C-alpha cells in the first residue's frame, strides 16, 4: 500500500475519532441547560465530560497536524478556502474551554450563567460549522452546507443525550432519554438527507458514480442512527451509545471515502502529498505516537466509566 494511502487513512481515522468523541462533548454542552434543574444537576451533566473533553480535542490537533505534515497542499487549500469558519470553530473551542474550566472556580450565579452561555455557544458553533465545511467539500453549495450543519448539530445533540443517559442516574438520566427521543425527530430526517448526499457527491459534480461500499457505509450509518433511537426507547443506554457512536464513525468513513482520491477540487492526494522521505519519517513517528494516543484515551475512559449522581451543593 502506498504511503499516501496509508496517511490518508490515518487522517480519516483521526478526524473520525474526533467526531465520535467531541460529538457527544458538543451535545452535552448544548443540552446541559435543558437537562438540569439546579446547580447540583448542572454539575452532574457537565461532569460527564469533565475528565475527557480536553483529551478529546487531541484528536483534532493530531488530525490537523497529520494533514500539515503528510499533505501540506491539502492542509493549505482547506484552511485557505474555509478560513473564516475554521477561525470561528477555534473561537468556539476556546470559549467553551474557558467556560468549562472557570465554571468551577467562580462563586456567583451570574458568573456561572456566563460560563454556561459560553459552553453552549462554544459547543453549538463548532458542531454546526464542521458539518457545513465538510458538506461544502463534497457539494460546494449553500444548501449542502445548511443540511450538513443541521445534521451535524442534531447528531451531536442526540449523541450527547445518549451519552448523558449512559453516564448519569436519577432525574437527569430520565430527561436525557426523553431528549434523545425528541431529538430523533430532527436527527433522523437530517441524517437521511445528509447521508444520501455523500455517495452522490461525485455524480453531482459530473464525476463517476460512487463505489458500492460508500453507499453501504452511508446506509449503515443511517441504520445505526435509527438503532440508537430504538435502543434508547428500550432503555438500553450502553447499546444505544454504541449505535450512535457507530453512526458517527460510519458517517466519517463514508465522508472520507467520498473525498478519495481528490480531497479538494482539482487536487489529488498524489499532488498534495509530501515527499517520500517525509512520509517515511512520519510513518515511524506515527507508529510510536498513535498507539499512545489511542491507549491513553481508552485508559481515561475506563478510569471514569462510572455513572454520576447529583451531589448537593
Amino acid at each position: 500500500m502506498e504511503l499516501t494511502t496509508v496517511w490518508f487513512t490515518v487522517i480519516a481515522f483521526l478526524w473520525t475519532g474526533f467526531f465520535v468523541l467531541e460529538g457527544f462533548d458538543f451535545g452535552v454542552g448544548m443540552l446541559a441547560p435543558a437537562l438540569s434543574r439546579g446547580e447540583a444537576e448542572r454539575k452532574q451533566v457537565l461532569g460527564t465530560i469533565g475528565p475527557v473533553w480536553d483529551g478529546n480535542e487531541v484528536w483534532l490537533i493530531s488530525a490537523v497536524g497529520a494533514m500539515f505534515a503528510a499533505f501540506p497542499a491539502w492542509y493549505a487549500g482547506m484552511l485557505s478556502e474555509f478560513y473564516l469558519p475554521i477561525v470561528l470553530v477555534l473561537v468556539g473551542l476556546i470559549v467553551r474551554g474557558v467556560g468549562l474550566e472557570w465554571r468551577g472556580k467562580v462563586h456567583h450565579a451570574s458568573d456561572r450563567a456566563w460560563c454556561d452561555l459560553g459552553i453552549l455557544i462554544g459547543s453549538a458553533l463548532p458542531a454546526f460549522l464542521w458539518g457545513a465545511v465538510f458538506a461544502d467539500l463534497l457539494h460546494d453549495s449553500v444548501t449542502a452546507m445548511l443540511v450538513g450543519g443541521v445534521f451535524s448539530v442534531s447528531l451531536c445533540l442526540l449523541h450527547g443525550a445518549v451519552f448523558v443517559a449512559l453516564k448519569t442516574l436519577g432525574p437527569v438520566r430520565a430527561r436525557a432519554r426523553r431528549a434523545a427521543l425528541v431529538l430523533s425527530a430532527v436527527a433522523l430526517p437530517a441524517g437521511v438527507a445528509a447521508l444520501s448526499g455523500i455517495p452522490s457527491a461525485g455524480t453531482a459534480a459530473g464525476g463517476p458514480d460512487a463505489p458500492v461500499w460508500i453507499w453501504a457505509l452511508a446506509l449503515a450509518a443511517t441504520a445505526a442512527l435509527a438503532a440508537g433511537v430504538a435502543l434508547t426507547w428500550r432503555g438500553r443506554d450502553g447499546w444505544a451509545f454504541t449505535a450512535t457512536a457507530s453512526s458517527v464513525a460510519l458517517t466519517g468513513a463514508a465522508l472520507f471515502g467520498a473525498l478519495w482520491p481528490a480531497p479538494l477540487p482539482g487536487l489529488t492526494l498524489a499532488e498534495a502529498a509530501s515527499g517520500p522521505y517525509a512520509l517515511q519519517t512520519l510513518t515511524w513517528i506515527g507508529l510510536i505516537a498513535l498507539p499512545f494516543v489511542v491507549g491513553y484515551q481508552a485508559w481515561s475512559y475506563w478510569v471514569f466509566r462510572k455513572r454520576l449522581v447529583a451531589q448537593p451543593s
Side-chain angles (χ1 to χ4, degrees):
M1 185 182 293
E2 295 183 357
L3 288 180
T4 53
T5 303
V6 170
W7 275 100
F8 180 81
T9 304
V10 170
I11 290 168
F13 171 75
L14 291 171
W15 273 108
T16 301
F18 169 72
F19 293 143
V20 171
L21 299 175
E22 278 289 73
F24 65 74
D25 278 358
F26 294 150
V28 172
M30 290 184 282
L31 285 170
L35 297 182
S36 53
R37 306 288 186 272
E39 180 60 18
E41 289 186 352
R42 185 68 55 89
K43 289 181 178 179
Q44 182 187 14
V45 173
L46 293 176
T48 62
I49 61 172
V52 297
W53 69 268
D54 49 355
N56 292 341
E57 291 185 352
V58 171
W59 290 78
L60 175 63
I61 297 169
S62 301
V64 174
M67 286 177 64
F68 172 77
F71 301 103
W74 180 17
Y75 167 89
M78 183 172 173
L79 266 67
S80 298
E81 183 176 355
F82 300 105
Y83 179 81
L84 180 58
I86 289 176
V87 167
L88 291 175
V89 164
L90 293 177
V91 170
L93 293 176
I94 292 169
V95 170
R96 184 187 68 141
V98 171
L100 287 168
E101 288 294 333
W102 277 94
R103 198 183 190 287
K105 298 176 174 65
V106 296
H107 304 290
H108 297 290
S110 59
D111 294 331
R112 289 195 295 268
W114 280 109
C115 291
D116 291 339
L117 180 62
I119 294 168
L120 190 154
I121 295 174
S123 299
L125 199 60
F128 179 85
L129 289 173
W130 280 131
V133 164
F134 279 97
D136 190 70
L137 280 176
L138 294 177
H139 289 284
D140 192 21
S141 75
V142 175
T143 301
M145 292 179 70
L146 290 174
V147 172
V150 170
F151 172 56
S152 181
V153 169
S154 62
L155 182 56
C156 287
L157 285 166
L158 177 59
H159 195 32
V162 172
F163 182 73
V164 172
L166 174 66
K167 290 288 293 178
T168 60
L169 293 169
V172 167
R173 184 184 184 188
R175 290 190 207 109
R177 284 178 175 172
R178 290 195 298 269
L181 296 176
V182 171
L183 290 164
S184 66
V186 177
L188 286 174
V192 171
L195 291 167
S196 63
I198 292 178
S200 64
T203 304
D209 293 339
V212 173
W213 61 270
I214 294 182
W215 282 102
L217 287 171
L219 289 172
T222 307
L225 185 59
V229 176
L231 288 163
T232 298
W233 182 73
R234 295 187 60 187
R236 305 292 296 274
D237 299 327
W239 285 109
F241 179 74
T242 301
T244 57
S246 298
S247 181
V248 178
L250 290 165
T251 299
L255 169 65
F256 281 93
L259 291 175
W260 170 269
L264 292 175
L267 181 70
T268 65
L269 287 171
E271 296 167 339
S274 297
Y277 179 76
L279 291 177
Q280 290 173 8
T281 303
L282 285 172
T283 301
W284 286 109
I285 295 173
L287 287 173
I288 297 171
L290 193 58
F292 173 78
V293 171
V294 175
Y296 173 77
Q297 286 274 287
W299 174 80
S300 64
Y301 277 95
W302 174 256
V303 169
F304 297 105
R305 65 189 182 277
K306 293 183 179 180
R307 294 182 185 266
L308 302 180
V309 296
Q311 300 291 340
S313 300

